[in-house]
Amino acid sequence: MGEYFAGAVTDYADGDRKVIDCGEFEVGVFRVGDEFFAWHNRCAHRAGPVCQGRIMKRVIEPVSDDRTTRTLEYDATETNIVCPWHGYEFSIRTGYHQASSRFRLRKAEFTIREGEIYVRT
Ligand code: FES
């Protein structure tokens, strides 16, 4: 079992990410609020470099009382990573695709020790 240094906790502002080379694979480490998450940099769709995609709040389309939609809004409670290959959006918290639980990112193990983050293999 190996460990790969992913930086100090203080290196990450809210919304930051680093993609770490772990030998045979890469792992994306993300900070959302005061929490950290780590996912393999391999999209659940067609293995694209998902962790290098755009980070953005989830886009929602509110339905009015008359059952029409007129605008798009951001869901401030949910942060997504958007795969750069085909645009699939995954929750950084859960790894699930926003529209289908069939697609989920592979979780990576990590530990925080004395203010430093280590990805474990
Ligand atoms: S490979 Fe990621 S959306 Fe297709």
Side-chain angles (χ1 to χ4, degrees):
M1 190 163 122
E3 283 191 335
Y4 295 86
F5 180 61
V9 167
T10 53
D11 293 341
Y12 293 77
D14 184 12
D16 276 354
R17 116 289 321 263
K18 290 182 189 292
V19 177
I20 308 302
D21 181 352
C22 298
E24 295 178 16
F25 54 87
E26 295 177 333
V27 168
V29 177
F30 298 84
R31 180 175 185 162
V32 178
D34 290 331
E35 295 181 274
F36 286 85
F37 304 90
W39 304 102
H40 284 259
N41 190 22
R42 185 176 165 90
C43 183
H45 179 224
R46 295 214 173 147
V50 62
C51 294
Q52 290 162 268
R54 187 169 175 206
I55 295 171
M56 58 187 289
K57 294 297 180 190
R58 181 181 186 191
V59 177
I60 55 176
E61 190 170 6
V63 179
S64 304
D65 291 341
D66 64 359
R67 298 186 166 276
T68 61
T69 60
R70 293 199 166 84
T71 185
L72 298 175
E73 295 179 2
Y74 291 109
D75 177 353
T77 65
E78 186 76 62
T79 305
N80 288 348
I81 183 82
V82 184
C83 181
W85 279 13
H86 310 104
Y88 278 34
E89 294 184 29
F90 298 89
S91 164
I92 291 177
R93 282 183 195 283
T94 68
Y96 278 110
H97 183 272
Q98 289 295 351
S100 171
S101 59
R102 229 178 89 216
F103 297 102
R104 186 177 191 198
L105 302 179
R106 184 170 160 224
K107 192 173 197 159
E109 299 299 322
F110 69 97
T111 187
I112 299 175
R113 215 170 39 241
E114 298 176 9
E116 296 181 334
I117 302 167
Y118 296 89
V119 173
R120 291 186 291 186
T121 59

